Amino acid sequence: MMQLLTSSTLDPVVLELGQRFVDAGFELSLVGGPVRDLFLGRQSPDLDFTSNARPDEILAVIKGWADAVWEIGRAFGTIGLRKAGFIIEVTTYRAESYDPDSRKPEVNFGHSLETDLRRRDFTMNAMALRLPSMELVDPYGGIKDLHAGVLRTPDRAEDSFSDDPLRMMRAARFVAQLGVALHPEVEGAMIEMAERIKIISAERVRDELTKTICAPQARLGVDVLVNVGLADYVLPEVSALRLEVDEHHRHKDVYQHSLQVLEQAAALETGPEGAVPGPDFVLRFAALMHDVGKPATRRFEPSGGVSFRHHDVVGAKLTAKRMKELRFDNDTIKAVSRLVELHMRFYGYGEAGWSDSAVRRYVTDAGPLLERLHRLTRSDVTTRNQRKAERLAFAYDDLEHRVAELAEREELASIRPDLDGAQIMSLLGIAPGPLVGQAYKYLLNERMEEGPLGEAEAERRLRLWWAEHRPSAADEESTKASDER
């Protein structure tokens, strides 16, 4: 249900700013997403305004009133400011034109609010509230479309997407954020023009994709990207999950499975104080990408079955490659690809059981991603076989119990050998070098296999290891001579 707007709906800061512009002889309107969100009963953290005042005139109106001012967008007619905790942008009416081969608009200042609204992406974002009168300006039927849950463009969809192809990505994001449906004309234009997304920078595509993945109904947004063909250019690995129809039904629909895993992973996120506060991009994107290695590893076996051997390793590499092309930061790339690589590690636990050593390695390999791995692994169960689902859930409950049990006795989150590098060098009388690393690795493996040993036992075992691995005098002389050369 949409909310009725009154002056009490807005913070006094908004009305005060509107009055300042009117008193100075200018128009000011709240515009775009903040207006849409008001009707949806949501609070927008950032406020966008438009005015017939030019940048110098905007600066004059807010002088002495704003807590802080910045002019980084001045060339595009935008002045930013902060007031009473609000981040505010005021932009001069614009009437932009575009070079068909470039996203960068030629900025021309406009003279009317209606013309300014016409250049905006979708009708539900092309509404304005004149201030301080609270008059709604909705020349393109944004309220009607918002009520109907339909995403439509103010102008011809083809022209809108030609001007700014990123709007197609934004359409998928609004589907995911608001649960709206694409108008047939919008969907048709996206299908026809999907290839134009190639002229948009990877960074801007990445930002829209991230917002889509972190939206309340991410599954719907991803499905739009795939169905209209945008994913062929943005996330081709996800498009490739739509394996050709298998008339014998020897494998499940990997694409739909991946969307379901994404949905289930998001449902397992926690509140702000929990282990994985949502929305968590790393968990969600790993859930979407966890099976992208399957198309490249699919094999039809003589028995009639289908196998995807090592699809976890292949998928991790494909995921990292795609994220690098989208200009994600290294930490995020490593976290997502590592989860993809580890998502199959659990399988087999229920049948064979694991030693304490295997549990330690599972926790150590996951490192800080353990809580996310718990959720990804649980989300990866989409079978309709209730008995199988219950068996897997029981097995993972047991594994988590084992992890917690061991954690009470040992510091699983930071397993280290009982002797550090300095102690190893002192005990063996050696200088820094490969031998120290080999000794450290040996002690770490012993620690993994048997748990804490204590310094005395670790020292005893290290001496035994050294007796077998200590270089001969001839080897030491050879190494010394090589170093001197």
Side-chain angles (χ1 to χ4, degrees):
M1 179 179 291
M2 289 195 294
Q3 182 170 308
L4 181 65
L5 301 189
T6 64
S7 58
S8 62
T9 307
L10 297 175
D11 191 277
V13 166
V14 174
L15 298 173
E16 186 180 340
L17 182 61
Q19 191 63 56
R20 288 183 70 88
F21 272 79
V22 169
D23 291 345
F26 300 110
E27 300 174 358
L28 185 76
S29 298
L30 184 67
V31 69
V35 177
R36 177 202 68 221
D37 287 346
L38 284 173
F39 281 104
L40 294 174
R42 308 190 318 179
Q43 187 68 37
S44 183
D46 301 332
L47 299 174
D48 296 327
F49 297 85
T50 188
S51 173
N52 60 344
R54 300 298 173 96
D56 286 343
E57 294 167 331
I58 295 172
L59 287 169
V61 171
I62 63 175
K63 184 178 181 181
W65 180 81
D67 297 331
V69 176
W70 50 92
E71 302 179 38
I72 193 170
R74 181 173 182 149
F76 296 94
T78 299
I79 301 297
L81 63 116
R82 185 177 68 249
K83 177 68 175 180
F86 287 99
I87 301 299
I88 293 170
E89 287 190 345
V90 182
T91 301
T92 304
Y93 294 155
R94 288 194 280 191
E96 295 171 347
S97 59
Y98 292 80
D99 180 336
D101 297 320
S102 173
R103 162 62 189 104
K104 295 180 180 179
E106 296 177 10
V107 178
N108 299 305
F109 293 142
H111 300 283
S112 74
L113 176 58
E114 287 73 12
T115 300
D116 181 89
L117 294 176
R118 186 180 184 86
R119 70 177 181 82
R120 296 179 181 269
D121 53 6
F122 302 106
T123 58
M124 61 180 62
N125 296 330
M127 300 184 288
L129 276 179
R130 292 190 186 274
L131 298 171
S133 67
M134 295 290 291
E135 175 195 350
L136 176 66
V137 181
D138 181 21
Y140 306 107
I143 283 290
K144 179 181 177 182
D145 290 340
L146 189 61
H147 184 75
V150 174
L151 202 63
R152 194 168 56 88
T153 54
D155 214 338
R156 290 179 66 249
E158 291 83 355
D159 294 337
S160 181
F161 297 151
S162 178
D163 284 348
D164 183 1
L166 190 67
R167 288 172 174 170
M168 295 186 286
M169 291 288 298
R170 206 172 293 141
R173 191 238 296 179
F174 285 130
V175 169
Q177 286 181 333
L178 305 176
V180 296
L182 300 178
H183 188 280
E185 291 180 5
V186 168
E187 184 175 17
M190 291 171 71
I191 292 171
E192 183 70 25
M193 306 179 70
E195 187 176 7
R196 274 189 61 77
I197 198 64
K198 293 195 295 186
I199 74 169
I200 302 297
S201 71
E203 291 84 357
R204 298 184 72 221
V205 170
R206 173 202 65 207
D207 290 347
E208 282 299 328
L209 177 63
T210 300
K211 291 175 184 177
T212 300
I213 297 298
C214 290
Q217 301 183 64
R219 176 177 186 162
L220 298 181
V222 172
D223 208 29
V224 166
L225 293 176
V226 171
N227 289 337
V228 302
L230 280 169
D232 293 347
Y233 305 98
V234 175
L235 284 178
E237 297 81 7
V238 174
S239 291
L241 292 175
R242 297 179 299 178
L243 303 171
E244 59 265 26
V245 176
D246 175 13
E247 62 184 15
H248 302 294
H249 302 288
R250 289 176 291 188
H251 60 81
K252 60 190 171 188
D253 186 325
V254 183
Y255 171 64
Q256 289 299 328
H257 163 74
S258 297
L259 292 184
Q260 189 174 346
V261 174
L262 166 62
E263 189 173 56
Q264 292 179 173
L268 291 178
E269 293 168 341
T270 60
E273 304 304 318
V276 183
D280 187 89
F281 175 79
V282 169
L283 171 61
R284 293 185 182 205
F285 201 55
L288 177 63
M289 303 291 283
H290 77 285
D291 274 348
V292 295
K294 281 191 170 179
T297 59
R298 184 175 61 159
R299 299 290 183 272
F300 291 100
E301 303 294 344
S303 62
V306 180
S307 68
F308 303 95
R309 292 187 181 89
H310 307 302
H311 77 273
D312 44 356
V313 177
V314 172
K317 292 178 180 178
L318 290 173
T319 298
K321 182 174 183 291
R322 177 56 45 199
M323 294 182 74
K324 285 176 184 175
E325 291 186 4
L326 289 170
R327 304 290 193 272
F328 279 96
D329 63 276
N330 288 335
D331 288 344
T332 304
I333 294 172
K334 288 178 182 177
V336 174
S337 58
R338 184 62 168 157
L339 283 174
V340 172
E341 182 182 359
L342 292 174
H343 84 273
M344 291 294 293
R345 185 72 63 87
F346 159 74
Y347 292 94
Y349 175 84
E351 286 77 11
W354 284 358
S355 64
D356 284 353
S357 170
V359 175
R360 290 188 194 99
R361 293 183 187 281
Y362 185 77
V363 173
T364 302
D365 288 348
L369 298 171
L370 181 62
E371 290 293 343
R372 289 183 173 115
L373 182 58
H374 285 334
R375 286 157 176 77
L376 175 59
T377 303
R378 288 186 180 277
S379 301
D380 197 20
V381 179
T382 60
T383 178
R384 295 180 182 178
N385 184 324
Q386 189 64 27
R387 183 174 297 178
K388 180 180 179 182
E390 289 175 355
R391 186 173 70 251
L392 289 169
F394 177 82
Y396 208 83
D397 286 343
D398 186 61
L399 175 57
E400 286 202 63
H401 178 71
R402 293 272 306 282
V403 170
E405 216 172 38
L406 276 174
E408 286 184 7
R409 305 197 304 264
E410 309 172 20
E411 293 182 16
L412 288 185
S414 56
I415 291 179
R416 300 286 186 272
D418 295 87
L419 301 175
D420 62 23
Q423 290 172 303
I424 291 171
M425 289 187 288
S426 175
L427 187 64
L428 302 182
I430 59 176
L435 283 173
V436 179
Q438 294 171 26
Y440 187 93
K441 186 176 181 181
Y442 163 73
L443 288 177
L444 179 59
N445 187 65
E446 294 293 290
R447 169 71 172 81
M448 286 286 190
E449 290 296 327
E450 300 185 40
L453 302 172
E455 287 191 17
E457 176 61 16
E459 181 177 332
R460 186 187 72 81
R461 295 191 186 197
L462 180 61
R463 289 187 186 281
L464 291 174
W465 177 86
W466 184 241
E468 295 181 10
H469 295 80
R470 180 173 184 170
S472 66
D475 289 337
E476 288 179 349
E477 282 298 321
S478 174
T479 300
K480 183 178 179 181
S482 176
D483 291 341
E484 289 175 351
R485 286 197 299 271

